[in-house]
Amino acid sequence: MDRIQRLQKELEKTDTDYLIIGTTSNMFYLVGFSEEQMERPLLLFVTKDDYFMLVPKLYEEQLKQLPLIVYRDGEDPYSKLNLKENSNILIDDTTFSIFTIEILNRFKPRRIGKASAILRKLRQVKDDEEIEKMEKGVKKAEELLLEFVPNIKENMTECEIERKLKSFLIGEAGYISFDPIVTSGPNSSMPHLRCSDKKVKGGEVIVIDYGIKYEGYSTDTTRVFSLGRPNYTLALEIVEIVKSANEEAEKHVREGMRAKEIDDIARKVITDKGYGVYFIHRTGHGIGIDVHEDPYISPDNDDVIEQNMVFTIEPGIYLPGKFGIRIEDEVVVKKGYGKVLNTLQKELYIL
């Protein structure tokens, strides 16, 4: 368990007695098990020299390859634990609070903190196996988008397109990273509007932001389309500005630079063209098991970019009442430089 061993070294450095993980992406990262959180505690405990899982009886056979403490329905699961009181504990940030409360009340730790204090550092630098999965995932996701978009027709609603895209992606890939964003015309100036009952018209900008899960790892890509030539000549100009910002930032990604410097590069391109006030979000985010992870490519992030980090570059310009444009790729840092995983064209797709 190489990841467990790396984690244990960090626990030693930080004098942490127990790191406790729920059924979150952190559990998948550490032991390869994924499950929704539920009312029964299903928890991974990692100490400086050991690890084990507290699991309901119904998971015993499924997880028999791991060291387990098993409890039956009707038993008190926490009575099975032998955690020492007055210890230093880190708990998974997104684990249900009821489990945290029980641990606090039962075992009265001296210090409690967030597991992300350690795990974010481990997870943001990917290993070669993770990167290979992510490269394959992006390739698969792009193939699926190109296969789907001919199905977009005038007078379909945004939500109709979104539902069809979601169903198609799940059918072909098994899982999605997040519910797709499909917006058109004036709605596309709202970056996180999922969809609406607005009908898509010829000549309108259509923004599609989507992702699939590939062997447990997320993809996240955005491209811009229109049915026929766009009504706004300005739309083509804005696409070129956003494309330039995207490419300029990607071109300058280097190991050793700070995350905010990448944001600065993309933002400067857009600002110099007079649209800085319309670039209303960060330039990107880390991606891996979760679709949003460290490092965040934002104006205030001093984190140093390291080899094998993977993150998005997704500048955008959003003109209220008219349209919005965003172009998003995934980038991995290899051999000291940024390598773009996406191959889709960045120009406006005219359907």
Side-chain angles (χ1 to χ4, degrees):
M1 280 284 181
D2 179 58
R3 293 176 184 174
I4 293 283
Q5 291 168 357
R6 288 169 56 211
L7 174 58
Q8 287 171 330
K9 289 179 181 177
E10 295 299 320
L11 298 184
E12 188 72 42
K13 290 178 190 176
T14 56
D15 191 29
T16 299
D17 297 302
Y18 304 101
L19 185 139
I20 305 169
I21 300 294
T23 49
T24 67
S25 57
N26 284 324
M27 184 177 286
F28 181 79
Y29 175 75
L30 291 169
V31 297
F33 177 67
S34 179
E35 181 60 282
E36 292 181 9
Q37 294 198 70
M38 58 179 177
E39 74 282 1
R40 297 180 177 98
L42 197 168
L43 302 169
L44 169 66
F45 293 78
V46 183
T47 70
K48 297 168 190 174
D49 54 12
D50 197 10
Y51 74 98
F52 60 89
M53 292 185 69
L54 177 69
V55 303
K57 178 70 175 176
L58 66 165
Y59 286 91
E60 184 176 19
E61 183 179 0
Q62 188 177 345
L63 295 172
K64 61 185 178 183
Q65 75 280 10
L66 297 170
L68 303 178
I69 294 176
V70 180
Y71 66 92
R72 296 177 180 274
D73 284 350
E75 289 186 305
D76 174 9
Y78 301 98
S79 68
K80 301 266 185 176
L81 297 173
N82 188 29
L83 306 188
K84 62 182 181 182
E85 291 190 3
N86 202 35
S87 57
N88 297 329
I89 290 177
L90 296 178
I91 296 186
D92 200 336
D93 307 28
T94 55
T95 294
F96 280 175
S97 60
I98 184 61
F99 305 144
T100 302
I101 291 167
E102 287 287 351
I103 289 164
L104 290 175
N105 288 338
R106 298 291 189 98
F107 305 106
K108 300 175 177 59
R110 177 173 67 249
R111 189 185 77 214
I112 185 167
K114 297 186 292 185
S116 61
I118 290 178
L119 280 164
R120 66 178 291 271
K121 297 175 183 177
L122 298 180
R123 286 181 53 178
Q124 70 182 358
V125 176
K126 305 316 192 246
D127 60 35
D128 291 340
E129 181 183 351
E130 290 178 292
I131 290 171
E132 182 180 1
K133 290 176 181 179
M134 296 179 75
E135 288 177 332
K136 289 179 178 178
V138 170
K139 184 175 186 294
K140 177 71 171 177
E142 292 193 331
E143 291 170 352
L144 293 177
L145 182 65
L146 292 178
E147 187 176 343
F148 174 80
V149 291
N151 296 299
I152 299 174
K153 305 297 181 186
E154 190 166 8
N155 291 322
M156 292 175 69
T157 69
E158 294 168 350
C159 283
E160 183 181 359
I161 297 168
E162 187 272 346
R163 286 191 296 268
K164 288 180 181 293
L165 175 58
K166 180 178 178 180
S167 176
F168 174 74
L169 293 174
I170 292 173
E172 295 296 323
Y175 299 94
I176 55 175
S177 307
F178 57 94
D179 287 341
I181 293 171
V182 178
T183 53
S184 64
N187 283 351
S188 62
S189 70
M190 294 177 275
H192 272 194
L193 176 68
R194 294 290 170 177
C195 67
S196 76
D197 291 332
K198 177 190 169 301
K199 293 182 177 181
V200 172
K201 300 297 183 183
E204 287 185 325
V205 163
I206 304 168
V207 174
I208 298 180
D209 186 342
Y210 78 109
I212 65 169
K213 285 276 195 179
Y214 183 87
E215 296 187 13
Y217 284 78
S218 301
T219 75
D220 189 2
T221 299
T222 307
R223 288 298 186 267
V224 185
F225 303 82
S226 71
L227 296 173
R229 297 287 297 178
N231 295 331
Y232 290 101
T233 303
L234 180 60
L236 294 174
E237 296 175 16
I238 298 297
V239 167
E240 283 304 309
I241 295 170
V242 173
K243 175 175 174 285
S244 294
N246 168 277
E247 292 176 339
E248 190 71 9
E250 291 174 350
K251 182 173 68 175
H252 285 90
V253 169
R254 298 286 187 276
E255 183 181 7
M257 71 189 304
R258 298 191 181 276
K260 68 181 183 182
E261 293 179 87
I262 303 173
D263 183 276
D264 288 344
I265 292 166
R267 204 166 297 278
K268 184 176 186 304
V269 173
I270 291 174
T271 300
D272 286 351
K273 293 293 185 178
Y275 291 97
V277 69
Y278 301 107
F279 184 6
I280 57 177
H281 54 71
R282 64 194 173 208
T283 293
H285 54 83
I287 185 168
I289 299 168
D290 292 323
V291 72
H292 284 192
E293 298 185 353
D294 292 287
Y296 291 94
I297 311 302
S298 60
D300 59 344
N301 190 359
D302 281 318
D303 285 357
V304 174
I305 298 301
E306 299 179 46
Q307 186 85 343
N308 282 22
M309 284 183 171
V310 186
F311 45 84
T312 67
I313 300 289
E314 49 179 302
I317 295 175
Y318 307 91
L319 305 178
K322 293 182 179 178
F323 58 83
I325 303 292
R326 181 169 63 260
I327 298 171
E328 178 182 19
D329 294 324
E330 292 179 38
V331 176
V332 59
V333 182
K334 298 294 287 185
K335 298 180 180 179
Y337 297 88
K339 174 188 173 185
V340 180
L341 300 185
N342 296 79
T343 60
L344 292 175
Q345 73 173 51
K346 302 183 187 188
E347 293 79 13
L348 180 76
Y349 280 85
I350 297 179
L351 304 176

